[in-house]
Amino acid sequence: VETTAYDQVRYPGKFYPQSSADRLATLGRLCGLQTTLPANCRLLELGCGDGGNLIPQALAFSQSHFVGVDLAASAVEEGRRTIAALGIENIQLHVADIATFDPGPEPFDYIAAHGVLSWVPVEVRQALMALCGRCLAPQGVAYVSYSALPGGYLRNVPRDLMRFHTRAITDPQLRPRAAREAVDFMLSAVPGNAFTRELIEREMAGFEGKDYFLLHDLLADENEPIYFLDFVDAAGEHGLQFLAEAEFGAMSTAAFPPPVQRQLDALANRLEREQYIDFLRLCRFRQTLLCRKGPAVDLTVTVERMAGLQFSTRARPVRPDADANATGPLDFRHPYQGAFRADEPATKALALVLARGDRRGMDFATLEAGVAQALQQPGAHDGAMRAALVPALLSLYARDLVEVHAARWDFSTTVSVRPCTSPYVRWLAERGAPVVNAVHGTFFLPSALLRRLVLLLDGTRSADDLLDALAAATPPAEQEGLTAEALQRRLQLLADNALLVG
Ligand SMILES: C[S@@+](CC[C@H](N)C(=O)[O-])C[C@H]1O[C@@H](n2cnc3c(N)ncnc32)[C@H](O)[C@@H]1O
């Protein structure tokens, strides 16, 4: 087996909710497809690396089947070791070239290729699209991310400089450092407020402290940005059409000034609308979902399309006694998105019902009944309120204030007597890696203490046992924070972030 650049410098696997079966199923349903639920699906990942994105899904959905393929044998070998250590039986990882890989005749409900298309030679790019076209199930969804234009033009400024400066360096371990020196040299040549400085700093921000990323992305021989419409044309040659962007909010025009929003939303052709949005935002990266050509798909979300989906929020009303019927707006706070204000009755009621409901999600019928009750209008779901509910929900979803899932998640929202994290979370924590929570999100353990705590959460220890064990494992200088209250706060933090499973 040949050694690739990814064998020489490893690209650690991560968790990408945007390419997960859950997200693809959700967006597919919102766009009118009858997607297969994640609990019972087949998913193929192209360029899966060490299987980092597949493993948590395989653990969450034991009845589903996951197949990964990657050219880098060392990454696949590592993934296989992890899979064996965790006793996972529903993943297969193959060392193979996307250009020649044959996954067999059985179609896949979901196909994901994250960070691959723009970074492989043209023949592999074509093969990747052809594979999606060949293997996608009739109601299936494919996820392909790629470097986009026109933002890619801006990215080429530091890229070309760094590639020029490192053209004689063959050792991949040495190139990122030399490349950064070139960027520093350029920055030292321009005044503080120069356009050039802003451009370079913006483009380099995502590569801070990540040499492997710089090497395999900006410094790579292949890094071919493409316009959205050209991507859609290429997909079209393989019987595929545009479904949606994987981040629902990426399709929203709400952040533009109202006249711009009206002009964009008036465009009948949704492909052209997307392309204009890319020009206006100088888009440099897309995460596009494709489905089979057939009946036109659209984002005119109806109540019927909500069937099978689960809704939840992490937002909380600022006032615990908030009432949806009170006049005036209601203020909410979301742990990651910050403060937001709900003005419309439907939005106020919706956010309140979700905030007071089960964090793991509720179905649309329950939500609707809750909203009717909150508004003290038992029949509200028959009329205008029902019509207002869907756009209100989607507007919150587009701003990441509400979560929409096709999967039914299983985790504890409270701290039990003997709290427990999943074996995989403990496995990751032991290796010093970021952990994955029960909804396929990444959680960076903020301290060594919390990491030690996670390692102890195997469901055998009470709070007292945990305090004793933590005290034994913590250096004297750090013992101060080891109180029963602080422990409960830490455990609740883990529960709030969907990291406790018992
Ligand atoms: C930038 S990494 C992305 C890895 C992973 N999808 C992620 O986003 O974390 C690109 C991956 O594609 C793989 N790759 C590149 N060319 C390939 C090919 N022709 N066939 C299969 N895999 C390939 C690389 O080995 C590498 O693991």
Side-chain angles (χ1 to χ4, degrees):
V1 177
E2 261 182 66
T3 304
T4 73
Y6 288 91
D7 291 299
Q8 292 172 328
V9 174
R10 287 290 311 284
Y11 193 97
K14 300 188 198 70
F15 321 113
Y16 300 101
Q18 68 271 36
S19 77
S20 67
D22 172 54
R23 181 69 61 83
L24 274 45
T26 303
L27 267 296
R29 281 177 181 236
L30 291 178
C31 292
L33 294 183
Q34 299 295 315
T35 51
T36 306
L37 290 177
N40 221 316
C41 73
R42 283 170 49 80
L43 183 147
L44 169 65
E45 184 165 339
L46 306 172
C48 66
D50 60 16
N53 193 40
L54 292 171
I55 290 169
Q57 300 192 71
L59 286 166
F61 310 119
S62 58
Q63 301 304 307
S64 297
H65 193 72
F66 297 86
V67 178
V69 47
D70 202 289
L71 201 51
S74 61
V76 168
E77 283 308 325
E78 185 175 332
R80 286 180 182 158
R81 279 195 295 275
T82 309
I83 289 164
L86 294 162
I88 305 172
E89 288 179 349
N90 53 337
I91 301 187
Q92 284 167 330
L93 297 187
H94 301 276
V95 180
D97 190 332
I98 292 165
T100 51
F101 180 64
D102 175 10
E106 207 179 331
F108 287 89
D109 303 300
Y110 303 108
I111 302 178
H114 182 69
V116 183
L117 189 79
S118 302
W119 299 270
V120 291
V122 62
E123 60 280 6
V124 183
R125 251 176 268 158
Q126 284 163 358
L128 188 155
M129 286 292 201
L131 198 56
C132 292
R134 252 193 345 267
C135 301
L136 198 63
Q139 298 290 310
V141 179
Y143 165 106
V144 183
S145 67
Y146 49 98
S147 189
L149 289 172
Y153 289 129
L154 303 181
R155 189 151 267 196
N156 276 346
V157 175
R159 167 172 158 79
D160 290 353
L161 164 70
M162 290 188 291
R163 281 179 54 83
F164 172 69
H165 186 71
T166 59
R167 65 195 181 282
I169 303 177
T170 47
D171 185 341
Q173 306 287 350
L174 301 179
R175 283 187 77 208
R177 185 192 206 162
R180 288 183 200 280
E181 282 167 7
V183 165
D184 290 343
F185 180 55
M186 181 157 183
L187 288 176
S188 65
V190 295
N193 59 354
F195 163 75
T196 313
R197 172 175 295 276
E198 198 185 320
L199 171 80
I200 300 289
E201 286 180 345
R202 202 186 85 148
E203 295 306 325
M204 294 301 294
F207 299 98
E208 198 71 50
K210 293 183 190 159
D211 279 359
Y212 72 90
F213 188 29
L214 188 63
L215 183 76
H216 289 307
D217 188 322
L218 277 195
L219 294 176
D221 289 341
E222 294 289 344
N223 186 331
E224 188 72 22
I226 175 174
Y227 275 111
F228 167 74
L229 282 181
D230 291 335
F231 171 83
V232 173
D233 278 350
E237 285 173 22
H238 301 282
L240 301 167
Q241 65 171 327
F242 174 65
L243 180 73
E245 279 296 290
E247 298 287 359
F248 188 73
M251 297 175 289
S252 166
T253 54
F256 290 114
V260 176
Q261 197 179 331
R262 276 194 297 277
Q263 274 175 286
L264 287 170
D265 291 345
L267 289 171
N269 182 330
R270 63 190 292 250
L271 301 180
E272 285 180 10
R273 177 182 178 278
E274 290 292 309
Q275 184 58 72
Y276 276 113
I277 290 177
D278 281 7
F279 279 118
L280 301 191
R281 291 195 179 129
L282 295 178
C283 177
R284 58 161 114 100
F285 187 64
R286 265 198 177 254
Q287 308 179 121
T288 297
L289 304 186
L290 302 167
C291 66
R292 288 205 165 282
K293 277 187 185 169
V297 287
D298 63 59
L299 260 183
T300 318
V301 182
T302 56
V303 170
E304 289 67 41
R305 292 186 185 180
M306 299 294 190
L309 298 178
Q310 302 286 316
F311 305 89
S312 63
T313 187
R314 292 198 59 190
R316 294 288 171 265
V318 170
R319 294 180 51 130
D321 62 347
D323 176 359
N325 288 300
T327 48
L330 281 187
D331 288 319
F332 290 83
R333 180 161 289 283
H334 188 283
Y336 294 115
Q337 309 304 328
F340 75 96
R341 174 162 280 190
D343 294 296
E344 303 300 321
T347 311
K348 290 198 281 183
L350 177 65
L352 268 188
V353 171
L354 289 176
R356 290 173 180 159
D358 193 324
R359 152 99 177 88
R360 288 162 292 205
M362 63 177 75
D363 62 23
F364 191 75
T366 310
L367 175 61
E368 207 178 12
V371 167
Q373 199 182 20
L375 293 172
Q376 293 162 8
Q377 299 174 17
H381 54 285
D382 298 329
M385 191 49 65
R386 185 173 214 202
L389 209 50
V390 172
L393 200 50
L394 294 180
S395 160
L396 294 177
Y397 182 41
R399 290 146 68 202
D400 282 333
L401 295 167
V402 158
E403 294 161 35
V404 185
H405 293 292
R408 283 177 177 276
W409 298 121
D410 196 14
F411 59 92
S412 301
T413 54
T414 54
V415 178
S416 70
V417 179
R418 292 177 193 280
C420 191
T421 53
S422 78
Y424 186 44
V425 164
R426 296 198 296 279
W427 193 91
L428 289 167
E430 207 167 338
R431 281 151 187 82
V435 296
V436 61
N437 68 11
V439 300
H440 207 68
T442 305
F443 187 76
F444 296 90
L445 291 167
S447 66
L449 189 79
L450 202 65
R451 190 174 294 279
R452 281 198 290 276
L453 174 61
V454 164
L455 292 176
L456 294 167
L457 298 177
D458 59 4
T460 64
R461 294 180 177 86
S462 67
D464 286 344
D465 300 335
L466 289 170
L467 267 185
D468 290 347
L470 271 182
T474 303
E478 294 169 32
Q479 296 267 337
E480 216 169 279
L482 290 183
T483 63
E485 296 74 45
L487 175 68
Q488 282 307 316
R489 269 204 309 279
R490 292 189 180 105
L491 290 170
Q492 192 56 53
L493 174 77
L494 296 176
D496 290 346
N497 283 287
L499 281 159
L500 296 186
V501 293

